[in-house]
């Protein structure tokens, strides 16, 4: 694994990943869909820009970091996609948050051409992406994992081999469900507390001193000082991830009582116009829904 292709290098997460792959000495080729300004530093560092996804098929491995399954499907199997030129032996690594069913379907298409498909989604934020300290959950056979691990470690602080292909995206959706449940519950608690007339700063002190405390709760608590950008993740993407999670629960026939509620809370915030804002704006949505003032300033 010396020549790495990258789709999504102009994105908030992809830029840092691609930067660290190049910094670790890998040859790097990138495709740029529209925005070229964010990748100028990568090109200056020796990355090569190609004209299409198909042109990346000559690499040893291609990493994909895009919004979700429709975009991944276009990169891999669409017109001018990777499979239009791929040869046996290519490894395709999807680091996006994707639907497991789509992942399995793409893996089958790849296998028919001798191409190996791996799901390796991420957690943490663009800050950790730039620092090379993401968490990666990899679904692959042990043999494939051993081949690609050095590439993934180029941008990851922690790398978890969570099982066979497809396991990575399942684990990621479970992780995101738990994360959004915490954020949604915190926003609702703030609304109830404000309406009940308690001092929300005191509530934060109590939770911070107990077992309920978490990094996500602390990020959400910053909304009380008017900081809605502490968690760098759009509500639109959070709602998309919970939609994927709901599809997962349906596919394994597990009732999703809490998941459905979290999904609807995110959808409500998006419907109220906060979709392009960060997840902590759930607090804004709760304040609007309940006609209550939560932030002091």
């Amino acid at each position: 694994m010396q020549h790495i292709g990258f789709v999504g290098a102009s994105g908030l997460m992809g830029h840092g990943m691609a930067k660290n792959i190049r910094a670790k000495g890998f040859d790097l080729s990138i495709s740029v869909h529209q925005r070229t300004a964010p990748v100028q530093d990568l090109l200056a560092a020796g990355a090569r820009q190609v004209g299409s996804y198909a042109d990346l098929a000559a690499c040893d491995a291609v990493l994909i970091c895009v919004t979700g399954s429709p975009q991944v499907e276009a990169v891999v199997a669409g017109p001018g996609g990777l499979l239009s030129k791929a040869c046996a032996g290519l490894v395709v690594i999807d680091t996006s948050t994707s639907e497991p069913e789509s992942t399995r379907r793409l893996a089958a298409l790849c296998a028919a051409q001798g191409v190996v498909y791996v799901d390796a989604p991420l957690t943490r934020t663009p800050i950790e992406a730039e620092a090379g300290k993401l968490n990666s959950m990899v679904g692959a056979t042990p043999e494939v994992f051993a081949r690609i691990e050095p590439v993934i470690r180029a941008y990851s602080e922690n790398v978890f081999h969570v099982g066979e292909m497809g396991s990575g995206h399942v684990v990621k959706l479970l992780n995101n469900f738990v994360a959004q449940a915490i954020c949604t519950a915190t926003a609702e608690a703030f609304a109830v507390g404000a309406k009940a007339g308690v001092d929300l700063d005191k509530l934060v002190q109590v939770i911070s001193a107990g077992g309920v405390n978490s990094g996500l709760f602390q990020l959400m608590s910053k909304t009380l000082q008017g900081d809605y950008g502490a968690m760098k993740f759009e509500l639109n993407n959070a709602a998309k991830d919970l939609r994927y999670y709901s599809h997962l629960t349906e596919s394994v026939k597990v009732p999703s009582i809490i998941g459905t509620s979290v999904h609807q809370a995110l959808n409500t915030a998006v419907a109220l116009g906060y979709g392009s804002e960060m997840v902590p704006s759930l607090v804004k949505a709760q304040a609007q829904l309940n006609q209550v003032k939560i932030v002091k300033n």
Side-chain angles (χ1 to χ4, degrees):
M1 291 286 164
Q2 286 300 319
H3 188 189
I4 308 302
F6 203 100
V7 178
S10 60
L12 291 176
M13 296 291 281
H15 178 272
M17 296 164 65
K19 182 190 76 172
N20 282 287
I21 289 170
R22 178 63 189 141
K24 296 300 192 299
F26 293 95
D27 293 330
L28 179 67
S29 293
I30 60 175
S31 67
V32 181
H33 182 54
Q34 289 179 325
R35 299 186 304 148
T36 58
V39 301
Q40 292 306 308
D41 61 332
L42 301 178
L43 298 174
R48 295 185 293 275
Q49 183 176 342
V50 301
S52 69
Y53 303 138
D55 293 333
L56 294 174
C59 298
D60 298 319
V62 178
L63 279 80
I64 304 171
C65 184
V66 293
T67 303
S69 288
Q71 293 77 21
V72 175
E73 290 174 5
V75 170
V76 177
L82 294 172
L83 289 181
S84 65
K85 285 189 178 180
C87 297
L90 174 67
V91 179
V92 177
I93 305 172
D94 178 16
T95 70
S96 318
T97 301
S98 301
E99 294 215 57
E101 182 178 346
S102 173
T103 299
R104 289 190 290 269
R105 186 167 61 250
L106 290 175
L109 290 175
C110 287
Q113 292 185 217
V115 174
V116 176
Y117 199 83
V118 174
D119 56 323
L122 318 157
T123 61
R124 295 187 169 173
T125 73
I127 296 173
E128 286 81 23
E130 291 290 332
K133 293 186 176 181
L134 292 171
N135 292 336
S136 292
M137 297 147 277
V138 184
T141 64
E143 295 77 15
V144 171
F145 177 72
R147 291 176 59 200
I148 65 174
E149 185 178 6
V151 181
I152 294 176
R153 288 201 177 277
Y155 56 81
S156 304
E157 181 176 33
N158 300 298
V159 179
F160 303 96
H161 184 202
V162 296
E164 296 293 317
M165 196 288 306
S167 301
H169 283 143
V170 171
V171 172
K172 175 63 190 295
L173 293 179
L174 297 175
N175 176 87
N176 282 22
F177 160 59
V178 173
Q180 296 309 323
I182 293 170
C183 294
T184 302
T186 301
E188 182 176 311
F190 285 169
V192 174
K195 207 146 194 180
V198 302
D199 186 334
L200 295 182
D201 288 333
K202 297 297 183 184
L203 172 63
V204 169
Q205 290 177 20
V206 170
I207 293 178
S208 299
V212 181
N213 188 35
S214 69
L216 285 173
F217 174 77
Q218 291 302 320
L219 291 178
M220 292 295 292
S221 71
K222 292 183 179 182
T223 60
L224 300 184
Q225 284 73 51
D227 182 357
Y228 296 96
M231 182 180 178
K232 303 296 184 185
F233 193 62
E234 269 195 16
L235 273 164
N236 281 327
N237 285 332
K240 179 266 297 182
D241 290 355
L242 262 292
R243 183 171 73 253
Y244 288 0
Y245 172 77
S246 294
H247 294 167
L248 172 63
T249 65
E250 292 169 1
S251 71
V252 296
K253 296 180 172 56
V254 173
S256 181
I257 299 168
I258 297 173
T260 299
S261 297
V262 173
H263 189 202
Q264 288 309 308
L266 294 168
N267 283 341
T268 299
V270 171
L272 290 173
Y274 301 110
S276 61
E277 297 188 24
M278 301 299 117
V279 166
S281 286
L282 283 166
V283 174
K284 291 184 183 179
Q286 283 288 341
Q288 183 174 339
L289 281 171
N290 294 288
Q291 296 296 294
V292 65
K293 184 178 180 180
I294 296 177
V295 179
K296 291 183 177 180
N297 53 17

